[in-house]
């Protein structure tokens, strides 16, 4: 019989699992606030209805559960067979009946939570490969899911905001995003400063911190992450050569 508690005893991982499950509960709450008819409505992602977002979040849980399975068994099971298959699955999921769509989210989330719970402590370091081709330890799947559920809860566009996302999650998101820019070299001349984020209220700086005359994007952490994730420029201000009276769009992230 499977254990009822997480097998991992690593306190950091336990904290991360809590953050992922809290995010899942938050997404569930926002989804439950939507009527069946409202599922047809638009989101903060261009071209996607709420149906697409819910389908994506459901299939994402299944895909991440495949990585956890891989870590547990050593049998290679990729997240998706191809990027096209991933897109087709989302488009199909978006056509499901409201009850089927809600079941997809609920069942996939419970399944993933159980997969994590039952993953033996030593298997969390087993390496798996993400849809983007990164080789990561199984423990990374927790963060991969965390950022999906929190951000897409906001994307549902029925009242959640980036300010609802816990600060540690926002901070790690900003590290991910600015790290991706830096790896691609797309952040040249762009300095991102987060106000009031340091322990003593100082600014935290990201992006091209060595630039001579940078375009500076400034705001509180939730607003900066919202902008950096490509979700608009609410709450951020900009100065410098790239400003031109408006906040420039953030470089592509994913
Ligand atoms: Zn996503």
């Amino acid at each position: 019989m499977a254990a009822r508690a997480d097998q991992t005893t690593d306190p950091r991982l336990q904290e991360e699992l809590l953050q992922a499950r809290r995010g899942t509960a938050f997404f569930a709450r926002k989804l439950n606030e939507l009527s069946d008819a409202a599922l047809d409505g638009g989101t903060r992602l261009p071209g996607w209805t709420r149906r697409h977002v819910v389908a994506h979040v459901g299939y994402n849980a299944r895909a991440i559960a495949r990585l956890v399975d891989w870590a547990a068994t050593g049998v290679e099971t990729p997240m998706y067979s191809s990027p096209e298959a991933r897109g087709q699955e989302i488009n199909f999921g978006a056509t499901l009946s409201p009850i089927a769509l809600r079941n997809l989210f609920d069942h996939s989330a419970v399944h993933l939570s159980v997969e994590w719970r039952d993953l033996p402590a030593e298997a969390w370091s087993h390496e798996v490969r993400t849809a983007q081709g990164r080789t990561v330890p199984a423990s990374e799947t927790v963060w991969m899911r965390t950022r999906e559920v929190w951000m897409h809860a906001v994307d549902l566009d029925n009242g959640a905001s980036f300010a609802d996302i816990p600060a540690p999650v926002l901070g790690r998101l900003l590290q991910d995003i600015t790290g991706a820019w830096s790896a691609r070299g797309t952040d040249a001349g762009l300095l991102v400063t987060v106000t009031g984020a340091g322990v003593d209220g100082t600014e935290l700086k990201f992006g091209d911190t060595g630039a001579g005359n940078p375009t500076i994007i400034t705001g509180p952490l939730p607003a900066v992450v919202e902008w950096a994730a490509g979700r608009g420029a609410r709450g951020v201000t900009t100065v410098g050569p790239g400003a031109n009276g408006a906040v420039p769009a953030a470089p592509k992230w994913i």
Side-chain angles (χ1 to χ4, degrees), residues 48 56 86 148 152:
W48 271 18
H56 164 53
R86 174 184 176 277
E148 287 294 305
H152 289 317

Side-chain angles (χ1 to χ4, degrees), residues 197-203:
V199 276
D200 50 359
T202 54
E203 292 183 337

Side-chain angles (χ1 to χ4, degrees), residues 53-74:
V53 171
V54 176
H56 164 53
V57 170
Y59 290 128
N60 169 264
R62 287 193 184 168
I64 289 177
R66 285 194 278 276
L67 295 187
V68 182
D69 255 346
W70 178 352
T73 63

Side-chain angles (χ1 to χ4, degrees), residues 181-182 185-193 206-217 227 238-243 248-249 251:
W181 295 344
S182 155
T186 52
D187 62 352
L190 188 63
L191 183 64
V192 178
T193 64
F206 299 85
D208 190 359
T209 50
N213 180 27
T215 299
I216 306 172
I217 308 288
W227 169 80
T238 182
V239 293

Side-chain angles (χ1 to χ4, degrees), residues 92-246:
F92 164 76
T95 68
L96 292 171
S97 70
I99 184 78
L101 205 50
R102 293 176 195 276
N103 283 339
L104 168 63
F105 168 76
D106 289 341
H107 295 172
S108 63
V110 169
H111 175 67
L112 176 58
S113 186
V114 168
E115 289 276 329
W116 278 333
R117 186 193 68 189
D118 294 341
L119 190 64
E122 75 278 4
W124 283 95
S125 60
H126 293 177
E127 287 189 331
V128 295
R129 200 170 52 253
T130 71
Q132 284 81 36
R134 284 189 311 137
T135 298
V136 297
S139 55
E140 180 79 6
T141 61
V142 180
W143 170 243
M144 288 163 61
R145 180 62 175 170
T146 300
R147 66 185 200 188
E148 287 294 305
V149 284
W150 283 108
M151 285 228 302
H152 289 317
V154 178
D155 288 331
L156 285 175
D157 204 15
N158 64 324
S161 78
F162 276 75
D164 291 315
I165 303 177
V169 175
L170 289 172
R172 195 161 169 189
L173 259 171
L174 193 54
Q175 295 281 1
D176 271 19
I177 296 170
T178 55
W181 295 344
S182 155
R184 291 184 195 132
T186 52
D187 62 352
L190 188 63
L191 183 64
V192 178
T193 64
V194 178
T195 52
V199 276
D200 50 359
T202 54
E203 292 183 337
L204 290 182
K205 295 185 191 305
F206 299 85
D208 190 359
T209 50
N213 180 27
T215 299
I216 306 172
I217 308 288
T218 306
L221 184 60
V224 165
V225 176
E226 182 169 1
W227 169 80
R231 263 74 169 180
R234 273 178 264 194
V236 299
T237 56
T238 182
V239 293
N244 292 326

